């Protein structure tokens, strides 16, 4: 019987929509926090400016990527 409304069958059901953060976004947030902390530490410690700039560039790239991902996904 293919039209049985009480039959439990998942073959025709669509996959549930994922609302989780995901590995990519988790990694981006982790790198963002580490690079922002590294930028603050290198700025206060008086280390060479290129080291602080490198941390700053990584921070900006992470923020940009996270914002782009947010707009690509739409409002959840």
């Amino acid at each position: 019987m293919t039209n049985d409304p009480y039959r439990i069958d998942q073959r025709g059901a669509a996959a549930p929509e994922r609302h989780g953060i995901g590995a990519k976004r988790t990694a981006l947030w982790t790198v963002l926090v580490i690079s922002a902390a590294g930028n603050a530490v290198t700025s206060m410690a008086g280390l060479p400016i290129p080291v602080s700039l490198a941390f700053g560039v990584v921070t900006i790239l992470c923020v940009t990527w996270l914002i782009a991902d947010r707009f690509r996904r739409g409002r959840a």
Side-chain angles (χ1 to χ4, degrees):
M1 239 191 263
T2 58
N3 293 335
D4 185 5
Y6 301 104
R7 182 181 175 119
I8 300 174
D9 188 8
Q10 297 296 329
R11 284 181 280 174
E17 200 174 308
R18 285 189 58 198
H19 291 290
I21 292 178
K24 180 180 75 170
R25 290 182 61 203
T26 302
L28 281 172
W29 276 106
T30 304
V31 171
L32 174 68
V33 169
I34 292 170
S35 63
N39 191 10
V41 168
T42 57
S43 294
M44 289 184 188
L47 292 175
I49 291 177
V51 176
S52 183
L53 283 174
F55 279 114
V57 168
V58 171
T59 303
I60 290 171
L61 288 175
C62 286
V63 168
T64 303
W65 199 338
L66 284 167
I67 290 172
D69 186 50
R70 175 67 175 166
F71 280 118
R72 194 174 330 121
R73 288 173 173 254
R75 291 239 180 239

